[in-house]
């Protein structure tokens, strides 16, 4: 699998405000009202200002012109405190999973001294407990405070990030809370209740090598994983995948060893899913990313940690092939593209 797909949102997270502004050079799907900027397709509006932060610019992170990966950037008057609102459409939208992976990305990026000092559900848009809010102190060797919030509405995700010097912690938190309070949602875009994940351990025994089942099923339509439903399901970690880009976790619903298995890849919605195929004991691979879901061949069993790592690093000698791609439009349209045998691509 190309590392560019895996690292897309990790790169966005690590980008400076200047580089985000350069990537977001036009308004894209945003429209401006008297006191908000709005992504109409999502039914979501953000405030022009939040605390000491004022809107600087809007645009798109990726998928230019499709309106499915939108960013609004905010800065304080002196530029020391910076914030972003991302409104994007991943193939699999889930606030709990998004917050979990954002938490991991922040802790990895800002170093061992970083402390998560708050991680809970808060109100947004008049809906109690509909956003997951996290605060991180002593980031970057004690120099920064950063805070984030995630919420899910329909097919859309909203991520808020504010970062500033540690001595301006109160300003960072006031900016995040003002952004949450200032978000507005159309009736059809009401945020869903969300709660943080706290996976337990359910390490599975070692498995044999999985083999491809090219004709296991003719069902190649995109399916949404059945969990974690924005934190309503208990999850457990059944294994770890060591890739060249870092360690990842294999997650499943607690107590359901034969259910679907997820490998979240980054904090921008890239998720590998292995879904059971009938009663054969096999699993079909699909990959969810911003604006698309790709469905692949099936395996006769769940691939091992080593196999999954090889898939992610592009070193799997017997890689599954994409059988279909479902592209999601900002207007709600879904386009299914079925690959011919001669056109099926390896990842």
């Amino acid at each position: 699998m190309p590392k560019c797909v895996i690292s897309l949102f990790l790169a966005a997270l690590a980008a400076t405000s200047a580089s985000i502004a350069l990537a977001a050079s036009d308004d894209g799907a945003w429209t401006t009202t008297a006191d908000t900027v709005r992504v109409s397709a999502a039914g979501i509006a953000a405030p022009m200002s939040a605390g000491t932060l004022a809107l600087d610019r809007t645009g798109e992170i990726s998928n230019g012109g499709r309106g499915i990966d939108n960013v609004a950037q905010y800065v304080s008057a002196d530029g020391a405190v910076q914030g972003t609102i991302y409104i994007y459409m991943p193939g699999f939208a889930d606030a709990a999973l998004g917050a979990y992976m954002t938490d991991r990305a922040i802790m990895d990026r800002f170093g061992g001294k970083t402390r998560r000092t708050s991680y809970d559900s808060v109100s947004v848009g008049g809906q109690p407990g509909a956003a997951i809010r996290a605060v991180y102190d002593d980031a970057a060797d004690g120099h920064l405070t950063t805070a984030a919030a995630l919420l899910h509405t329909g097919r859309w995700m909203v991520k808020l990030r504010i970062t500033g010097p540690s001595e301006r912690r109160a300003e960072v938190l006031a900016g995040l809370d003002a952004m949450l309070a200032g978000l507005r949602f159309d009736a059809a875009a009401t945020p869903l209740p969300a709660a943080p994940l706290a996976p337990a351990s359910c390490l599975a025994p070692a498995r044999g090598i999985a083999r491809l089942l090219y004709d296991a099923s003719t069902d190649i339509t995109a399916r949404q994983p059945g969990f974690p439903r924005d934190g309503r399901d208990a999850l457990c970690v059944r294994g770890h995948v060591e890739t060249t880009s870092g360690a990842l976790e294999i997650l499943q619903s607690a107590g359901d060893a034969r259910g679907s298995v997820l490998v979240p890849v980054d904090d921008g919605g890239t998720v590998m899913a292995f879904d059971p195929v009938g009663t054969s004991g096999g699993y079909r691979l699909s990959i969810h990313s911003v604006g698309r879901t790709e469905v692949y061949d099936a395996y006769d069993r769940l691939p091992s940690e080593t196999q999954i790592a090889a898939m992610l690093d592009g070193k799997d000698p017997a890689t599954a092939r994409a059988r279909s791609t479902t592209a999601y439009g900002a207007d709600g349209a879904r386009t299914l593209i079925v690959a011919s045998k001669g056109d099926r691509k390896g990842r």
Side-chain angles (χ1 to χ4, degrees), residues 76 78-82 137 139 142-146 163-172:
S76 61
D78 60 0
V81 181
Q82 302 166 0
D137 289 306
H143 297 295
L144 298 176
T145 292
T146 189
T163 301
S166 293
E167 60 269 22
R168 293 169 71 168
R169 179 181 191 271
E171 191 175 338
V172 170

Side-chain angles (χ1 to χ4, degrees), residues 203-258:
L203 293 178
R207 302 181 300 279
I209 299 299
R211 302 186 184 281
L212 290 170
L213 299 173
Y214 293 102
D215 299 316
S217 172
T218 58
D219 184 3
I220 53 174
T221 57
R223 295 179 179 275
Q224 292 290 297
F227 68 94
R229 297 188 303 163
D230 299 299
R232 285 178 287 170
D233 299 293
L235 301 190
C236 62
V237 179
R238 64 172 291 154
H240 297 83
V241 177
E242 298 292 337
T243 74
T244 56
S245 299
L248 301 173
E249 294 176 334
I250 303 174
L251 303 177
Q252 70 177 41
S253 288
D256 186 9
R258 181 62 186 115

Side-chain angles (χ1 to χ4, degrees), residues 3-346:
K3 292 183 180 179
C4 61
V5 173
I6 297 171
S7 62
L8 174 63
F9 263 75
L10 290 177
L13 177 69
T16 64
S17 294
S19 61
I20 289 177
L22 180 63
S25 58
D26 58 77
D27 287 338
W30 297 89
T31 58
T32 302
T33 68
D35 56 357
T36 68
V37 285
R38 173 179 170 84
V39 178
S40 296
I44 301 170
M48 297 290 284
S49 62
T52 62
L53 301 174
L55 180 70
D56 182 53
R57 66 175 59 215
T58 58
E60 296 179 273
I61 291 289
S62 66
N63 293 273
R66 292 181 61 192
I68 59 172
D69 195 9
N70 310 291
V71 61
Q73 180 182 347
Y74 297 74
V75 295
S76 61
D78 60 0
V81 181
Q82 302 166 0
T84 48
I85 295 178
Y86 303 94
I87 300 177
Y88 60 104
M89 180 188 286
F92 173 40
D94 189 276
L97 203 59
Y100 186 71
M101 293 305 291
T102 296
D103 177 81
R104 292 196 57 184
I106 289 173
M107 298 296 285
D108 289 346
R109 177 191 173 190
F110 286 113
K113 290 185 178 180
T114 306
R115 297 179 299 114
R116 186 182 67 210
T117 54
S118 177
Y119 194 41
D120 52 19
S121 299
V122 298
S123 296
V124 62
Q127 298 297 312
I132 299 173
R133 176 184 181 274
V135 178
Y136 303 85
D137 289 306
D138 295 330
D141 290 327
H143 297 295
L144 298 176
T145 292
T146 189
L150 273 290
L151 59 108
H152 172 203
T153 170
R155 294 205 62 86
W156 296 88
M157 291 288 297
V158 180
K159 178 187 292 189
L160 296 80
R161 280 284 311 278
I162 312 289
T163 301
S166 293
E167 60 269 22
R168 293 169 71 168
R169 179 181 191 271
E171 191 175 338
V172 170
L173 301 190
L176 179 67
D177 292 340
M179 282 188 177
L180 284 168
L183 288 174
R184 297 291 179 263
F185 304 89
D186 292 353
T190 301
L192 300 171
L197 293 177
S201 176
C202 58
L203 293 178
R207 302 181 300 279
I209 299 299
R211 302 186 184 281
L212 290 170
L213 299 173
Y214 293 102
D215 299 316
S217 172
T218 58
D219 184 3
I220 53 174
T221 57
R223 295 179 179 275
Q224 292 290 297
F227 68 94
R229 297 188 303 163
D230 299 299
R232 285 178 287 170
D233 299 293
L235 301 190
C236 62
V237 179
R238 64 172 291 154
H240 297 83
V241 177
E242 298 292 337
T243 74
T244 56
S245 299
L248 301 173
E249 294 176 334
I250 303 174
L251 303 177
Q252 70 177 41
S253 288
D256 186 9
R258 181 62 186 115
S260 296
V261 172
L262 302 181
V263 183
V265 176
D266 61 29
D267 66 311
T270 306
V271 178
M272 297 179 73
F274 294 91
D275 298 305
V277 178
T279 59
S280 67
Y283 286 83
R284 183 176 301 286
L285 168 64
S286 59
I287 298 177
H288 304 270
S289 55
V290 173
R292 64 196 292 125
T293 294
E294 294 173 302
V295 180
Y296 289 77
D297 292 315
Y299 292 87
D300 65 352
R301 66 186 73 187
L302 185 67
S304 68
E305 287 88 341
T306 301
Q307 283 183 290
I308 295 173
M311 295 175 199
L312 290 167
D313 288 336
K315 298 178 180 178
D316 182 25
T319 304
R321 303 279 174 169
R323 301 189 66 183
S324 72
T325 299
T326 299
Y328 307 108
D331 60 357
R334 299 187 184 191
T335 303
L336 176 64
I337 303 171
V338 179
S340 65
K341 288 186 177 181
D343 191 40
R344 285 162 58 185
K345 58 183 178 179

